[in-house]
Amino acid sequence: MAVIRRSPAPYTANQVRLFETFAAQAVIAIENARLFERLQESNADLGASVQREAALARISQRINEQPLDVDGTLLAIAEAARELTGGDGARVFLLDGERLVPGPGALGKISADYATSDSFVELSSGITIARAVRERRTVAVDDLVEIVPDQEVRDRLVARGMRSNMVAPLSGTDSIVGSLSVVRAQVRPFNATELATLEAFAAQAATAIETARAQRALAERNTALAQGLERET
C-alpha cells in the first residue's frame, strides 16, 4: 500500500499514523476475505462429501438387494458419478480379454454416441480408458483435444462434447475388471475432490461386478450339486 504526492512535501506524524491504520485495516480485510473463501471451499467439500456418501450408501444397498442386476447397478453408478463430479457424460467400460467393451452410460450435455456406442477399445491403445487399466491408476486429462494428433479425431471429440476427461480403473480383489470414465463438454479440469469421488464409485462398480460373478458361480455350483444328487437317487 503506497501514497505519493506530486510535489515534495513531507508527511506529518499524524498522517503517517493514519496511513498505517488504513494499511492495517487493508490487511484485516484481505485476511477476512481469505478466511471466507476457505470457509466456502470447506463447506462445498463437506456438502460434496455428504452427497457422495449418501449416493454410495444407496448403491451399496442396491448391490445387496439386487446382486445379479449388474447393468442396472452400473448405470446407477455412472449416473451418480456424472452428477457428483460435475460431468456431462459418464460410462463404464468392462475388460474382456485384451479389449474394453462399452457398458452402461449416463448422459448430460454430450452427444448420445458417448453412452450408446458399442465400439470396443483395444487395451494397448493410448486412449484414457485403456491407460487407466494398464497403469492401474486414475488418469485425468485437462483437454482430450490437446493430446490427440489426428485432426479428424480432434474434430470428432469437439463435436461430441468430449474435452476434459477423468478415468478410474475398476480394481477388483485380484485384478482390474474395467474402467469408469467421466467427461465434460468444456475444458474444465477435474479437481482432487472430484477425482476421489470417481475412485469411490469405481470401487463400487468393481464390487458390483465381482458380487454378481460370485453369485452366478454359487448358483452354478448349487445347480450342479442338485443334479448330481438327482442322478444318485
Side-chain angles (χ1 to χ4, degrees):
M1 185 173 178
V3 293
I4 59 173
R5 284 174 171 169
R6 291 181 179 276
S7 58
Y11 292 98
T12 66
N14 286 338
Q15 289 171 330
V16 170
R17 285 194 294 272
L18 180 61
F19 181 69
E20 289 174 341
T21 300
F22 285 130
Q25 286 184 326
V27 170
I28 293 172
I30 293 170
E31 289 181 344
N32 285 342
R34 288 174 177 170
L35 285 172
F36 181 70
E37 288 177 358
R38 286 198 289 269
L39 178 61
Q40 285 187 312
E41 291 173 357
S42 177
N43 288 340
D45 289 343
L46 179 60
S49 178
V50 170
Q51 287 183 310
R52 179 178 67 195
E53 293 307 314
L56 290 172
R58 288 194 299 271
I59 291 169
S60 291
Q61 182 178 0
R62 193 183 199 289
I63 293 172
N64 291 330
E65 294 177 350
Q66 304 177 61
L68 296 179
D69 184 17
V70 182
D71 284 347
T73 298
L74 294 182
L75 177 58
I77 289 173
E79 289 174 340
R82 183 197 65 77
E83 179 180 356
L84 296 182
T85 61
D88 294 311
R91 193 163 192 183
V92 176
F93 294 85
L94 304 174
L95 186 61
D96 180 15
E98 291 300 312
R99 65 182 186 177
L100 286 158
V101 179
L107 292 175
K109 301 175 183 177
I110 195 173
S111 168
D113 289 348
Y114 184 75
T116 59
S117 172
D118 59 359
S119 300
F120 64 84
V121 175
E122 295 292 344
L123 187 58
S124 60
S125 76
I127 297 176
T128 51
I129 59 174
R131 283 181 53 201
V133 173
R134 288 200 317 274
E135 298 172 15
R136 295 175 174 266
R137 67 179 182 88
T138 299
V139 175
V141 176
D142 291 350
D143 187 1
L144 289 171
V145 171
E146 295 299 320
I147 66 170
V148 176
D150 187 275
Q151 186 59 49
E152 183 178 345
V153 176
R154 289 159 66 103
D155 292 341
R156 192 157 59 244
L157 288 172
V158 173
R160 291 181 176 179
M162 298 173 61
R163 302 302 295 269
S164 293
N165 179 220
M166 177 171 60
V167 187
L170 308 186
S171 301
T173 304
D174 301 315
S175 61
I176 305 294
V177 296
S179 59
L180 174 59
S181 174
V182 176
V183 296
R184 284 174 172 159
Q186 304 296 326
V187 178
R188 186 162 55 89
F190 294 93
N191 60 37
T193 299
E194 292 160 345
L195 186 145
T197 296
L198 183 71
E199 290 177 338
F201 285 118
Q204 276 203 321
T207 299
I209 293 168
E210 291 193 327
T211 299
R213 288 176 178 174
Q215 290 284 337
R216 291 192 184 103
L218 178 61
E220 290 172 359
R221 286 197 297 271
N222 289 340
T223 298
L225 179 60
Q227 291 174 347
L229 292 173
E230 286 180 1
R231 285 194 296 269
E232 291 178 3
T233 57

